Amino acid sequence: MVTGGAGTTVGQSDAGEGDENVAVPGNPAPLTEREAIFQTTMEAALVGIYILQDQRFKYVNPCMSRLFGYASEEMVAGMGPLDVIVPEQQAAVAEEMLARAAGTPGSRYEVTAVRKDGSTFPAMVYGAPSAFEGRPASVGTLLDISVQKAAEQRISELADYDALTGLPNRRLLRQRFVQLIAAAEREQSQIAVIFLDLDHFKRVNDSLGHSVGDELLCQVAHRLDSAVRRIDTVARLGGDEFIFSMPGFHSAAAAEVARRLIDVFARPFKVVGHELTVTPSLGICIYPHDGLDLETLLKNADTAMYRAKELGRNAFQFYAAEMNTATLDRLLMESNLRRALTQNEFILHYQPLVHLESGVVIGVEALIRWQHPDLGLIMPDSFIHIAEETGLINPIGDWVLCEACRQAKAWYDEGLPPLVMAVNVAPVQFRQQGFVEMVAGALASTGLDAGLLELELTERTVMHDADVNLGMLSALHRMGVELSLDDFGTGYSSLAYLKRFPVGKLKIDRSFVNDLETDPDDWAIASTIVSMGRSLRITVLAEGVETGEQLAQLRKMGCDMAQGYYFSRPIAAAKMTEILRQQPFRNR
């Protein structure tokens, strides 16, 4: 930056050769070498340089005139700094000019400069006391800092705003929330914090790609930002998680906002040629009742949001203190599940699958149990849902499949007749990448014939994205693996798809077997499934058979197979070996 030091005299050269007045542009007097160098320097400078006297420009260099869009003659003819800055800064600049005229050294300061066409730009100004033609004056520089300000703005955006959606990020949310808490304390008011998470968003990324997922997030962000007040903050924490901080909201008002946010998702999103329908789950907590700082409120709202997911999604839940106990139990369960995998705490029990005409056990279903070192035997209902939500279901399911195949091959090697080994497949496990290859690997590593493995999938698993699943089911069928539809009758199978799917067995859900003797509707449903299976040449098995009367009714309607406590509870492999050898249900 070109600056003038205190006491500089502009308009006279140092004592020496020529001792002539410096020729300011416009002066017809011939230039000395030193004057020519001065003029050339001023004209070449990339910063605005000016001489100021009586609050009027006495000289501006070419860069200065270009910055403002005036000719040099226009500016020197009677204009001053107050003519080229915004009105709200004129008083402060006037004080700066008076200080320079009084001989007080200056310091850098910023102004908003106004061009001849009315447009503005940010500028950095530095002035220093001087003299011009024997009278007090000041010299100064003016630098256009537009590029610097744009860079600072971009840095601020990167630091405080989400790069994808443009919404505030966690850092800016935290800064704003400090101010909200201070205001709430003064006014004795409340703040609502809402944690919103998209349901099954991962499916969008997995099936359509991350670029479609990103565009969906941008559209979601726009709708959410448009649904709240200007004083509210909508922030994106990352992934598909959004936070709302809403000052002055009590519980009833927060619930109304939550309903409105759910309604925002009622209309499908049109993304890159796809019409996507997504739903949100929301958790709500209120300051100061549910927490006194942002981190506590976020944690509690997150807990409430997960409760909304557990209750069916596309809903909201308020935080309650007892949820923390459930959350802690959940975390402990997840930690113990991970340990159980590494410590070989899982075991398989087996339940016989009985051919009703002969009473022969022609297959078994493998059912996982957790042999906990402290709690004893834990049933799958207590941990499978957590395994599915945390992704542990994939390694657990892989272990079950391999162990079941190993046991089936061991029985065969012991000289027992070939029998079908039925293994349940969780929806998350079925949709994992490379599932078909994993099944092939389990068969290859154990040496089990593919025809002796039966994979059980629920109707909902198969019918979700049915066209894609048809390809996977066909690949498994080509390997020789048998396929069965579990809990049949409780889902929404399309008969057209059922005809196309390579399914060899339908399992009548136990809910239709429980009251088979007394409920004519259950009898009608079960008999219809049996008739349908017969027409499609598909084996039908009834689950949950517990009484002789139920068994008699199933035989009467022509059901092929059955399983349930009437025959045997799920038992360890050693006890199942005895049943397989003795065949105690033959001709019963």
Side-chain angles (χ1 to χ4, degrees), residues 271-286:
V271 183
V272 197
H274 302 280
E275 193 169 273
L276 305 177
T277 299
V278 293
T279 59
S281 293
L282 300 87
I284 307 171
C285 59
I286 307 293

Side-chain angles (χ1 to χ4, degrees), residues 353 365 420 422-425 453-459 462 473 481-488 498 502-507 538-539 541:
L353 309 179
E365 180 177 356
V420 171
V423 177
N424 287 287
V425 179
L453 175 64
E454 180 178 278
L455 299 181
E456 294 187 1
L457 301 111
T458 65
E459 281 186 275
V462 171
L473 294 173
V481 174
E482 297 293 328
L483 301 167
S484 70
L485 279 188
D486 200 7
D487 301 337
F488 191 78
L498 189 59
V503 172
K505 184 182 294 179
L506 302 179
K507 298 187 73 173
I538 297 175
T539 300
L541 180 149

Side-chain angles (χ1 to χ4, degrees), residues 195-355:
F195 196 121
L196 184 150
D197 183 270
L198 302 184
D199 299 327
H200 303 304
F201 176 72
K202 186 175 183 295
R203 293 180 184 175
V204 176
N205 279 340
D206 290 347
S207 59
L208 299 177
H210 287 273
S211 60
V212 173
D214 287 349
E215 176 59 27
L216 174 60
L217 287 174
C218 289
Q219 291 192 27
V220 167
H222 177 72
R223 286 196 195 178
L224 294 178
D225 197 37
S226 303
V228 297
R229 305 170 303 176
R230 296 190 63 175
I231 63 172
D232 301 326
T233 295
V234 185
R236 180 182 178 229
L237 291 193
D240 58 342
E241 297 176 341
F242 298 87
I243 296 295
F244 300 78
S245 63
M246 316 182 83
F249 269 67
H250 49 74
S251 297
E256 182 57 36
V257 170
R259 291 189 188 95
R260 191 163 72 241
L261 292 175
I262 291 174
D263 289 342
V264 161
F265 289 83
R267 184 164 43 92
F269 295 86
K270 295 182 179 179
V271 183
V272 197
H274 302 280
E275 193 169 273
L276 305 177
T277 299
V278 293
T279 59
S281 293
L282 300 87
I284 307 171
C285 59
I286 307 293
Y287 168 91
H289 181 265
D290 299 322
L292 298 177
D293 59 80
L294 179 61
E295 294 309 316
T296 301
L297 291 164
L298 286 180
K299 177 176 71 69
N300 291 342
D302 182 44
T303 300
M305 181 273 294
Y306 271 105
R307 180 60 176 159
K309 285 187 180 292
E310 290 171 0
L311 294 176
R313 297 181 168 84
N314 197 29
F316 66 87
Q317 280 288 304
F318 279 92
Y319 171 75
E322 54 268 22
M323 289 181 181
N324 275 337
T325 302
T327 300
L328 181 59
D329 290 343
R330 175 193 178 89
L331 290 173
L332 289 173
M333 178 69 80
E334 181 181 347
S335 176
N336 285 336
L337 279 174
R338 294 184 186 279
R339 187 204 66 222
L341 265 173
T342 59
Q343 298 297 318
N344 299 317
E345 294 176 7
F346 293 118
I347 60 174
L348 291 184
H349 281 185
Y350 302 89
Q351 188 170 36
L353 309 179
V354 181
H355 184 257

Side-chain angles (χ1 to χ4, degrees), residues 35-80:
E35 291 167 347
I37 291 173
F38 173 79
Q39 179 171 318
T40 301
T41 302
M42 295 301 102
E43 291 176 349
L46 298 178
V47 61
I49 302 174
Y50 61 87
I51 299 172
L52 198 63
Q53 191 175 61
D54 300 328
Q55 299 191 7
R56 290 289 180 267
F57 293 119
K58 295 300 181 181
Y59 166 74
V60 294
N61 73 338
C63 180
M64 183 81 168
S65 60
R66 285 196 303 271
L67 284 173
F68 286 95
Y70 292 97
S72 298
E73 294 77 11
E74 290 181 273
M75 298 190 73
V76 174
M79 295 179 65

Side-chain angles (χ1 to χ4, degrees), residues 361-429:
V361 177
I362 60 174
V364 297
E365 180 177 356
L367 299 163
I368 190 170
R369 301 290 186 264
W370 180 3
Q371 190 65 58
H372 194 283
D374 300 319
L375 303 177
L377 199 65
I378 301 177
M379 296 294 105
D381 288 350
S382 300
F383 63 86
I384 286 297
H385 66 286
I386 295 178
E388 289 180 336
E389 292 169 4
T390 59
L392 289 171
I393 193 64
N394 289 336
I396 291 174
D398 293 350
W399 176 85
V400 169
L401 184 62
C402 290
E403 175 61 17
C405 289
R406 185 203 64 77
Q407 183 60 62
K409 184 62 164 63
W411 279 327
Y412 182 79
D413 290 344
E414 290 176 18
L416 291 169
L419 76 158
V420 171
M421 175 62 74
V423 177
N424 287 287
V425 179
V428 177
Q429 183 187 9

Side-chain angles (χ1 to χ4, degrees), residues 166-187:
L167 293 177
N169 59 15
R170 183 188 290 265
R171 181 174 181 272
L172 184 56
L173 173 67
R174 186 179 294 114
Q175 292 173 359
R176 291 183 179 178
F177 207 79
V178 169
Q179 300 171 0
L180 290 181
I181 288 179
E185 288 177 345
R186 286 194 309 270
E187 300 165 6

Side-chain angles (χ1 to χ4, degrees), residues 86-100:
V86 292
E88 55 268 28
Q89 296 177 347
Q90 291 177 358
V93 172
E95 290 182 11
E96 292 284 347
M97 289 190 292
L98 290 173
R100 298 302 85 72

